[in-house]
Each structure stands twice: as C-alpha cells, then as structure tokens.
Amino acid sequence: MKSSRAFIVGFLLVFLAGISTPVFAQQEPDGEVLLNFNYPAVGNVYLNGVFFCEVAYLPLGEILSLLFVPSERTPSGKGLKGAYPSKNDTWSIDPVTQELILKGKSESLPADQYYLGEMDLFLHPDYFHRIFGITFTVNTYALSVSMKSDFTLPIEERQKRESIRRQLQQRSSQANAQLPLLYERQRKALSLGVLDYNINYTTTDLGNNLGMSFNTGLEFLGGDLQGTYIGNVNSGGLLSNISGLRWRYVLPGGMKPERNVGLASITAGQITTTSFTDAANLIGVSLTNNPVIPRLDLDVFVIDGNTVPDSEVELLIGGQLVDFTRADEVGYYRFNAPVTYGTVRLSTRIYTPQGEVIVQDRQIQVPFTFLPKGFVGYNIQAGLPQFTFDSLGTSLAAHADISYGISNALTVRAGADQGEIFGEKSIYPVFGLSARLFQQYLLNVDALPDRYYRANASVFYASNTSINAQFTEYNPSSTFNFRGQTRDANLNVFYPFKIAGKFSGFRVTGERIWFNTGLGVNNYQLDFNTQIHRVILRFNYRGGARGFVNDPENPGQNQFGLLTSSLTYTLPRNQSIPVYVRGLFLRGQFRYSSLLRQGESVSFLLSQTLFKNGRFTLGYDRELVRNLSQFQVGFLYDFQSLRTSTQFSKRTKGHVFQQGFSGSVAYDPAGGVLIPSNRDQVTRSGATVRLFIDSNENGLFDEGEEVVPAKAVRLDRSANILLGSDGVLRITQLQSYWKYRLDIDIAALPNPNLAPKLKSFSFVAEPNRFRQIDIPLYQTGIIDGFVLLERSGVQQGQGGLRLELLREGDTEPTEIIRTFSDGSFYSYGLMPGRYLLRVDAKQLEYMQVESVPGMLSFEIKALADGDYLEGLNLVLVKKE
C-alpha cells in the first residue's frame, strides 16, 4: 500500500514538472559571440549572435530597434508582432505558440529556426528576408555581418527627414540673419535700359503686311519710364500708335510691403483707372499707397490637433517643409503657419512611433483684395479721357477708391467715378467687401447702386474640389445695362477623382440670365477628362443660347449644342524609341453639333521638339459643315539672342505665310555693350556680376585686374544666370524694386584658395535696367603654430589635441583642428575675418591643465596673395 502511494506521488511530481516545463525548451547554441555590424544609416555597432553549427541566429528585437521597424510584444510576452513594409503587411512571431503569421497567413514556426535567449529572440536569417525583405550575410572569420534591404528602411527615411529639417533650420537662421545691403536703390537722372521688339511679316493672296511693336523701358529722373510704339505697314501706308507711355516714381515705402505707408508711388502719363467696372483710359496722374512689391504674408493660421503621443509632426505649405515638432505626452501638437496670398495648401504629415504615416490636407484661398488688419489702401487717378491715340476729351475725369482691413479675414472698400466718360451722372459710387469665413470659404460683395449688386462665394477644398457661385441683380434703368438684364446667376463645380489610379475630373457649369422682357436663357457646360496610360481623353459639351432672346414667339432662336472630344498622346523619351520621335505630341479633336445632328469639324496636330530649342508643328483642320479645310506647318526656335517663328497655312481658298522675330536688347553698364535676349525685359530688371581678384586690395575693379570666369553665385529667387565669353555673369528676369539675397558658392570657383570678404549680401534690383555688382576675391589665409605642454619648466609638443576654430561672434566651431605628434597644427582656406582658437575644454579638464592664453584671437586679412599667420602658440600649464 505504501509502495503504491509512493508510486502515485512520484508520478504526479513528474507530471507536474512536465507541465511546468516551457513548450519552447530547446537545445543550447554552440556559441554566443559579438558580431560587428556596419550599415550607413546605423553606423558601426555590435550585435549579439548565437551559432548553431555555422549558421548565426540574429537578435530580432535588437535589429528591429536599430532599424526603427515598429514592433510590439505578442500576448505571450515572448514574441513580437507588427506591420512592415506597409501597414497592411502584418506579421507575428511567437515562440510560445510556435506560430508565424506572415501577411495575414498563419504557419508553424519550427523549433530549430529560432532560439529564445534571456534578452532577445534569435531568429534564423532566412526569416528576416521572408518577413522584412532584409538579407544578412555573416562572415564567420571576421565575425562581422552585412545587410541588404529590398525596401527603404524606416531609419533611412528618418535620416532623410532629419537632414531636410536641418536644412530647414539652416535656411531659417540664414533668413533671420541680417545681411548687409551692399547695393541699395540708386536713383539716376537718366540710365539706358531695355528694348523689347516684335516684328511680324505676313503675306496672303490679298497682299502683304508688316507689323512691328517696340516696347522700351529706362530710368528717368529717378523713376521708371516706359512706352510702346506700334506700327503697321499695309498697301504702302504706315499706321502708328503709341500706348502705355508713363513715368512712375516709387518712393522707399513702396518697396516695403510689410508696412502701411502714406504714399507708395506716383505715376504720370497714360494711365488706366482702377474702377470696379468700365475702367477708363486717361492722360493724367495717379497716386497710390499700395506697394509695388506684392504683399506675401497676411495672417498667422493656427494648426493644431491630437495624434499618437511622441509622434513626429511636419507642416508643409505648397509641398515644402516649413516647420516640424513632436507631439507631447498626450499627443497634442500646434503650429503657427503663415498664410500667404493666393491659394495655400497646408499639409500635416505625422510619423507615429509605430511607423504609420498620416497625411492631412487643407486648402486656403486669400485673394489680393484682402488687406492686413488695420491697413488702409487707396488709389487716386485724374486726367483727360483718351479715346484714341490722337483724341482727348475736354472734361476732367477722376476716380478714387479706398480699402480698409477690419481684420485679416474682412476687408471693406468704397470708391467713386466722376466725369462724363463714366456716364450722365456726376458721381457713380461703389461699395464692397471681401470676407473669409471658416478659414476657407470666400465671400465677395460689390454694390454699384446705379449699375448692379453682385455677390460671389467660392471654396477650394484640399481634395481640389472647388465650388464657385455668383448672383447679380441689375438696375434695369441703368444706361450701362445694354442687354436689358434684370439678374443672372451661375454655378461652377469641379470634382476630381481617380480611375485606375489616374487623376480624372468632372466640371459642371450652369448659367441663368433673366431679361426685362420676361424671357430668360439657360447656358450650361459639362467637362470630363481622364487618362488611360499615356492617352488623355477630354469630353466637353456646351449647350444653351447665344446672345439676346428678343422674339417671344421664338425663344429658341439662338439655341446651340456642341460636343467636343479630344485625345492627346505623348511618346515617352525612352532610349528604345528613335531619337527623332521621342516626346512626340499628338492630338486629335472632333466637334459634333447636337442641333444639326452632324459633325462640325475635325482636326489633328503633331508637335515635336527639334534641336533642343526648337519646336515643329504640323496640323490639319476640316470644317465638315462648310466643306473647308486648312493645312498648316510651323517651326519655332529659341536662339539665345532672339526667337524666330515661321508658319505656313494652305486653305481651301488662299494661303497665309507668316515670319516673326521677337526678343529684347539691354544695355550692360559693366562692358558698355548691348546684351540680346530671347525674352521680354521691360518692367523687369537685371544684374551684371563681375568676380575679380583684387590685386591692389582697394575693393574696386581696376583696369588690368583679373576677372574670374565662374558661375559661382546663387539667388534666393528664380532668375536666369548666364556666363558670358568675357567671364562676366549676367542675371536677367529679376523683378524690379525687389530685394535679392546673393550667395557666393566658393566651391564653384576655379581656384579653391579664392574667397570673398562677404559670402552673402543683398541688393535691390533697379527698374528697367541692369545694375553692376563687383565682387572682389582674395587668396584665403593659412595659420600654423604649436600647442606645448609645460612640465617642470620644460615645454614639449602635445599631440592628439582637438583645437576649436570659431569665427568671431559664433558659438559653434567652424573647424576642428588636430595637433600632430610634435604639437604642431595648421589650417588653410580661411576666409577673411576675425577668428578665435581654443583647446577643447573636455580635454583640458581630463588632463587637469589650463591653456595660456585661454583663447587666441587673430584676423585673416583680405590680401591678394593671401594672409599667412605663423607662431600661433598655446601653452598648457598645470592647474593650481
């Protein structure tokens, strides 16, 4: 009996011991080692590895942590799970249940494919490739491991984001830095400027015609003067006309859009009133306080929200990163985003700790009719009406308007027109307001008591869906109501969507017009466009009535309906396609009249780039209703100095041949020569930048000094920069009166030892002319010296020290210099300026010494042959 009881107790103990033994019991590895792991995004680190025979099992948790692949513990607490490379690619590894889940599918995990250590789960390298697309290669002799990934790793994406953010911070610090304005606005009594020209010769069956247009701009009496001459030679006669001849004087306040000044500019000559409707042409004077440089920033828009705690949040405006932050411990984040004029697309991009990317978009529209809060804007024009070039009115006409920004989202305005040219009444008043509701809805109201009352509302969503509605109530007795309308209304809706991953869109436009006869007309338009591979399809249908409805018995007299369909196709620029047809553009169009129930016209167009700067076009049009056809061929080429256009059209009856030349010529003060261009330059500005070696060190370009031919300058705004054969840089397409930042790219200089005194500065673009900018260059400086350690009165060179070189005024070192074994050091390529040199404080503390002097101060002078400083010695003495 006792023996039976003992047997049962022993059996239970063995059974219970078996239950308590983990199911993941496994054989021990042959060995555990540290493996050297070197990957660019990670750096050089050590990984724990366990060997079974010659196969190294690698730590799953440690590797995922190093690569920032998100993961979390499984319910058993021994395994890991997550989603990679996308949120739909779920995976799970659990050694307790011996289950592997890969892309939602479950399978068994063999016991010999993993090892559960004390600190991590070690996995066979094949599973890293199956689950994560990561291939590990282990060198058993060097005890190192290398890696290759099929996907972009989270740590690589993180490094890219951090690099972009560092660049953003650098740009922000540069933008906030006060750059010296080396070239301010320099007014001149007379300065030659630019001339735009357009000459076109046409010959037909009926005769020949020569048309010409010359638009000139220059500086006169400190202001910009411009005007256009238009001439036409036909049948031996010359018809001439001058238009847009005006002189404008811009005051300093007109170049500061951030300020609300009393007077910004004065204009005299041929002007156009800023009336809300029916603007008049005058010979007179105009005054305004609106700046000539557009205002950019209007308001600060608060963007905040909640997300996963500790997420990285980026703010993008127009697709460009402008700010970033990290959500706090409860997941809250906040930005103060500047709202600029125009259409602003704001996006927040959130990177959660789990690796998920959340993008949120919103769209804001800010028309230029809005004024900042508290700003007042006005326009005043007065003069004699101009009907034709040589015909002037005898009675004075005037216009005035004023606007006030009640808030950044509400602007009110009022104005008046006075004079016979505007109507029979002595004064015609105008009132209006512009409002932004709920940040993205726009409302505009105009009240012209003697003409009409109009309201317009619009919204532009982040999905690019837009809605625009307008309603107008007319004054039936107004002399300006020529059509006899009582009211009209229209609606425009655009809705974008995707078909097979390609962007498509649908637009609906409707209009209703009521007349005082009691009749009305409806007009509507439907648009649809989509893309299939490289083919773009568009369908358009327009229906309604043209013109008036003046016959009550026949209200459909002017009805029409027209369906237009078109296909466009562009050949890719692949190497497999013959070079002469790469990028070939083809378009076909067909128009069908729904009222006539027959085709109206068909056309084809072929266009191809030739010789890089040329474009060849070939087209055919056929009017099916009138049985007429036209064949045309054309060629346009952009030379550096001008643009030429040739076109020939052969019609059913007759032909047309056209030859045109257009371009611009500007006076360059640096060389006293004329610089041709193929683009218009009137109302624009330019700069001539001359880099030279200042051999006599006076900061001025003197005859005989060497010009450095290099495209080594950058601007903070877009412009055309060309390097001439004389080694001078010519910058065109600048905006007149704008301030530009110019940076000198030292790396682009042909001599690496050359450098300017100032690497960055700003200048103001002069109106209608080139301004000359001379940048003197000097040889960079060289320094050398010793760091000596004093022991028992004896000084010896101390090698292996880190010396910090700082520009005076900076807090961060520009360079770290190492001392050689004998204590010597040197540095070269130092730009002119004052510097500080000191020994790394941490090394001084470790050695328990101090430097005498504590910091060396010296200056690199701007010398043509370079500045060389020697004997810069530092002595290290024991601390007392």
Side-chain angles (χ1 to χ4, degrees), residues 284-450:
V285 179
S286 172
L287 304 177
T288 183
N289 76 329
N290 293 313
V292 295
I293 300 175
R295 292 189 176 98
L296 298 179
D297 296 338
L298 173 71
D299 198 358
V300 174
F301 181 64
V302 177
I303 299 177
D304 60 357
N306 289 280
T307 185
V308 180
D310 203 38
S311 295
E312 299 177 19
V313 188
E314 295 180 342
L315 174 65
L316 298 91
I317 298 182
Q320 297 293 320
L321 179 66
V322 297
D323 201 358
F324 62 92
T325 188
R326 187 177 292 273
D328 61 19
E329 61 275 3
V330 296
Y332 179 75
Y333 64 89
R334 176 189 174 99
F335 295 105
N336 292 325
V339 175
T340 60
Y341 286 92
T343 301
V344 182
R345 188 178 184 87
L346 300 173
S347 303
T348 53
R349 195 159 52 195
I350 303 171
Y351 300 91
T352 67
Q354 292 74 32
E356 186 179 3
V357 181
I358 304 171
V359 179
Q360 300 171 344
D361 295 321
R362 65 191 75 186
Q363 203 110 306
I364 298 176
Q365 290 186 94
V366 182
F368 285 90
T369 54
F370 283 85
L371 286 177
K373 180 181 179 180
F375 274 44
V376 177
Y378 70 84
N379 296 283
I380 301 174
Q381 295 105 22
L384 297 177
Q386 183 182 27
F387 303 105
T388 61
F389 169 63
D390 55 355
S391 176
L392 288 177
T394 57
S395 61
L396 186 70
H399 165 81
D401 63 71
I402 186 170
S403 302
Y404 177 69
I406 296 179
S407 70
N408 289 328
L410 179 61
T411 297
V412 295
R413 52 188 179 273
D417 296 320
Q418 188 274 329
E420 295 180 358
I421 193 173
F422 295 107
E424 298 176 352
K425 294 187 176 182
S426 59
I427 294 180
Y428 287 89
V430 177
F431 306 95
L433 67 85
S434 296
R436 191 173 76 248
L437 308 175
F438 305 108
Q439 299 171 344
Q440 61 179 349
Y441 296 91
L442 296 180
L443 175 65
N444 193 81
V445 178
D446 292 324
L448 289 71
D450 295 295

Side-chain angles (χ1 to χ4, degrees), residues 432-658:
L433 67 85
S434 296
R436 191 173 76 248
L437 308 175
F438 305 108
Q439 299 171 344
Q440 61 179 349
Y441 296 91
L442 296 180
L443 175 65
N444 193 81
V445 178
D446 292 324
L448 289 71
D450 295 295
R451 304 178 189 180
Y452 61 79
Y453 300 88
R454 175 172 293 162
N456 180 284
S458 64
V459 62
F460 195 176
Y461 294 105
S463 62
N464 289 326
T465 298
S466 63
I467 304 174
N468 188 295
Q470 180 175 289
F471 179 81
T472 306
E473 183 75 24
Y474 292 91
N475 184 347
S477 61
S478 172
T479 57
F480 296 96
N481 191 358
F482 304 109
R483 300 182 64 186
Q485 295 173 246
T486 58
R487 66 185 62 88
D488 64 41
N490 60 68
L491 177 68
N492 187 311
V493 178
F494 175 73
Y495 178 72
F497 54 92
K498 287 185 178 182
I499 298 178
K502 299 292 185 179
F503 282 100
S504 305
F506 189 78
R507 184 182 298 276
V508 179
T509 303
E511 179 187 42
R512 171 69 180 179
I513 303 175
W514 292 266
F515 295 99
N516 52 19
T517 60
L519 300 176
V521 298
N522 298 320
N523 295 315
Y524 54 92
Q525 180 172 317
L526 306 176
D527 261 298
F528 171 74
N529 64 82
T530 187
Q531 182 176 349
I532 302 176
H533 298 295
R534 301 188 65 85
V535 179
I536 299 176
L537 296 86
R538 181 181 178 186
F539 299 94
N540 170 271
Y541 183 79
R542 291 185 297 138
R546 298 186 179 95
F548 299 89
V549 178
N550 49 19
D551 186 357
E553 297 182 358
N554 187 17
Q557 58 182 320
N558 295 331
Q559 291 293 315
F560 77 98
L562 188 63
L563 173 66
T564 303
S565 60
S566 65
L567 296 174
T568 61
Y569 177 77
T570 304
L571 269 72
R573 298 184 178 273
N574 297 337
Q575 296 294 328
S576 59
I577 298 177
V579 64
Y580 48 85
V581 293
R582 290 177 192 166
L584 180 68
F585 173 83
L586 299 169
R587 187 188 70 188
Q589 180 175 288
F590 176 72
R591 302 175 70 179
Y592 177 83
S593 173
S594 60
L595 293 181
L596 300 177
R597 297 184 179 181
Q598 69 175 53
E600 190 173 273
S601 67
V602 62
S603 65
F604 301 95
L605 177 67
L606 177 152
S607 180
Q608 171 66 359
T609 301
L610 293 179
F611 314 117
K612 293 185 178 180
N613 296 321
R615 178 157 288 274
F616 171 78
T617 57
L618 182 67
Y620 176 78
D621 297 272
R622 177 73 176 177
E623 292 188 38
L624 303 176
V625 177
R626 297 193 298 167
N627 199 25
L628 299 175
S629 61
Q630 175 178 288
F631 172 81
Q632 60 183 5
V633 59
F635 181 69
L636 182 145
Y637 193 85
D638 274 336
F639 295 94
Q640 186 173 332
S641 56
L642 60 87
R643 173 179 295 179
T644 175
S645 173
T646 305
Q647 183 168 307
F648 175 77
S649 300
K650 180 65 178 72
R651 303 172 180 172
T652 302
K653 298 179 181 179
H655 71 277
V656 177
F657 174 79
Q658 293 179 315

